[in-house]
Amino acid sequence: MSRVEVHISLDRPGFSLDVDLNLPGRGVSALFGPSGSGKTTLLRCIAGLEPSAQGRLCVLGEIWQEGTKRLPPHQRPIGYVFQEASLFPHLSVMGNLMYGRKRTAIKDIFSLDQAIELLGIGHLLERRPEQLSGGERQRVAIARALAVCPRLLLMDEPLAALDLARKREILPYLERLHDQLEIPLIYVSHATDEVVRLADHLVVMNHGRVQAHGPLSETLACLDLGEEAGVVLQGHIGALEPEWHLARVDFPGGSLWARDQGLPLGRAVRLRVLARDVSLAQQPGVSSIQNLLAGVVDALGEDEHPGLALVRVHVGESLILARVTKRSAATLGIAPGQRLWVQVKSVALME
Ligand code: ADP
Ligand code: MG
């Protein structure tokens, strides 16, 4: 089966990593977790850079590590992107792209032109790294990682060192990459906004352990991210109302209206629905809220604030999180299995 199987443990004074993961062989798996939780260490183990890592690593059917057998780092077909673009300062952009490529045997998977086109760096090829902006440098670093024709891409907080404007500049490139990439990408981040836009699969790490993992929507729905608690619904544009500048997004189990962003009918999109924007009611009251869905309570959980509760509700096949006061939870008598109405006050549409 073409998957990424990671069964790795590592002991350091004051820190241990113990991970057992079976990730999809395609798409973006986000490694998410607080600083110090072991995300970088896990990537380094996968890249073969941690000699004391024990266990088994099998990538798309090829064993990279098992028992005493381990492929040295340079024999692992990996594209690695770090937080700070580590380009060779004395080489041009083209020189940087060619550097890793010369040493790879397989050149079939990703053509250099494809990588250049995908990251929009065709006009930068003659420049030196010092003549690039931070965002451009990071795009080149991503293209360079693709140019080695990897079987697996690893990105370690590639946007973390950039300011918000640069981050916004690069995210669309990463989204295109996500759509076109046929190899797995393990993407480390502690930023929820990146994860909800890019990830298909979510791995939540804490203290060197996997706290939760699974498909993005389900896994997010089981996490309390404080103010950012919420879900992502994956669907497509099902209808447009140009007169009102609204777009209807159909997802498994329902549909919601969002502000139209000029996307065509049928386009696959994601909706971010924050728990604080969702309320629950027994009756579908008359209000200005038009996004009303029939739901069934799945579970009731604690919120960070003692006066609030997080309620997980099934809407068809999807899950939605609602943050309500404990008082209204008590008034509504919220309990698993209960049918109620889910009112969504606002949603963010993402391409
Ligand atoms: P994250 O990437 O999630 O922030 P890291 O993998 O960098 O976490 O770190 C995990 C733990 O390992 C932390 O406790 C960190 O202090 C420790 N650590 C990281 N690198 C080293 C190192 N080279 N030597 C010793 N300890 C390290
Ligand atoms: Mg790190």
Side-chain angles (χ1 to χ4, degrees):
M1 223 178 12
S2 56
R3 296 184 69 90
V4 180
E5 300 165 45
V6 184
H7 310 285
I8 292 283
S9 62
L10 171 143
D11 274 307
R12 258 188 207 140
F15 177 80
S16 76
L17 181 80
D18 195 350
V19 165
D20 198 347
L21 277 173
N22 189 325
L23 300 172
R26 227 190 127 167
V28 178
S29 294
L31 271 188
F32 180 75
S35 177
S37 56
K39 305 179 299 294
T40 296
T41 305
L42 179 55
L43 284 201
R44 289 177 50 82
C45 291
I46 294 172
L49 299 171
E50 292 286 346
S52 63
Q54 302 293 318
R56 179 171 190 275
L57 183 61
C58 182
V59 180
L60 309 182
E62 288 189 5
I63 293 172
W64 291 7
Q65 180 171 344
E66 185 166 44
T68 51
K69 175 199 158 166
R70 57 176 74 203
L71 281 185
H74 66 272
Q75 283 180 16
R76 301 188 184 200
I78 281 176
Y80 208 145
V81 180
F82 304 90
Q83 187 168 327
E84 307 279 352
S86 49
L87 301 176
F88 295 113
H90 60 288
L91 295 177
S92 66
V93 166
M94 192 59 179
N96 268 283
L97 294 179
M98 291 308 294
Y99 182 82
R101 197 171 172 83
K102 271 187 286 194
R103 304 189 309 161
T104 43
I106 347 153
K107 295 198 171 59
D108 55 330
I109 311 166
F110 231 91
S111 80
L112 199 56
D113 290 345
Q114 241 178 315
I116 292 168
E117 204 275 322
L118 197 60
L119 275 305
I121 54 169
H123 60 297
L124 305 172
L125 296 176
E126 304 305 319
R127 298 217 199 145
R128 299 270 170 146
E130 87 251 11
Q131 299 168 308
L132 301 174
S133 72
E136 287 168 344
R137 266 202 293 274
Q138 205 54 312
R139 273 152 60 196
V140 172
I142 296 169
R144 185 178 62 173
L146 291 173
V148 304
C149 298
R151 295 285 179 197
L152 175 65
L153 267 178
L154 304 175
M155 296 195 190
D156 196 348
E157 311 215 27
L159 306 184
L162 303 174
D163 59 35
L164 197 61
R166 297 290 87 68
K167 213 171 135 163
R168 290 219 178 101
E169 168 198 319
I170 296 198
L171 264 170
Y173 291 101
L174 287 172
E175 282 171 340
R176 281 175 65 192
L177 183 65
H178 168 261
D179 294 340
Q180 297 186 20
L181 202 62
E182 290 182 10
I183 54 169
L185 161 58
I186 303 181
Y187 186 97
V188 169
S189 177
H190 64 259
T192 350
D193 62 326
E194 292 170 33
V195 170
V196 297
R197 286 179 69 156
L198 296 173
D200 303 302
H201 195 87
L202 180 60
V203 179
V204 184
M205 297 216 22
N206 208 358
H207 302 299
R209 304 289 185 276
V210 174
Q211 208 182 5
H213 81 106
L216 175 71
S217 310
E218 287 163 38
T219 313
L220 265 187
C222 297
L223 290 183
D224 181 2
L225 297 169
E227 273 305 298
E228 293 192 287
V231 295
V232 169
L233 301 170
Q234 283 163 287
H236 64 272
I237 307 272
L240 293 169
E241 279 198 4
E243 189 190 347
W244 304 107
H245 304 282
L246 289 171
R248 195 187 73 207
V249 177
D250 298 348
F251 57 89
S255 57
L256 287 168
W257 289 95
R259 262 178 304 177
D260 188 3
Q261 300 193 359
L263 296 170
L265 269 179
R267 172 69 64 84
V269 290
R270 294 172 174 213
L271 281 180
R272 176 100 168 108
V273 183
L274 291 175
R276 60 166 189 247
D277 294 327
V278 179
S279 58
L280 302 172
Q282 259 157 357
Q283 307 286 333
V286 184
S287 74
S288 61
I289 294 166
Q290 53 175 336
N291 279 329
L292 195 63
L293 302 160
V296 178
V297 175
D298 178 52
L300 188 64
E302 291 292 315
D303 188 89
E304 282 178 343
H305 189 279
L308 296 172
L310 268 184
V311 185
R312 198 163 67 217
V313 185
H314 277 289
V315 173
E317 295 158 48
S318 300
L319 285 166
I320 286 189
L321 278 183
R323 172 182 281 162
V324 299
T325 62
K326 283 209 175 125
R327 186 171 67 180
S328 80
T331 311
L332 288 165
I334 288 178
Q338 186 186 356
R339 292 180 178 281
L340 36 67
W341 292 95
V342 178
Q343 298 183 322
V344 182
K345 282 170 261 180
S346 95
V347 292
L349 182 74
M350 299 174 294
E351 225 180 309

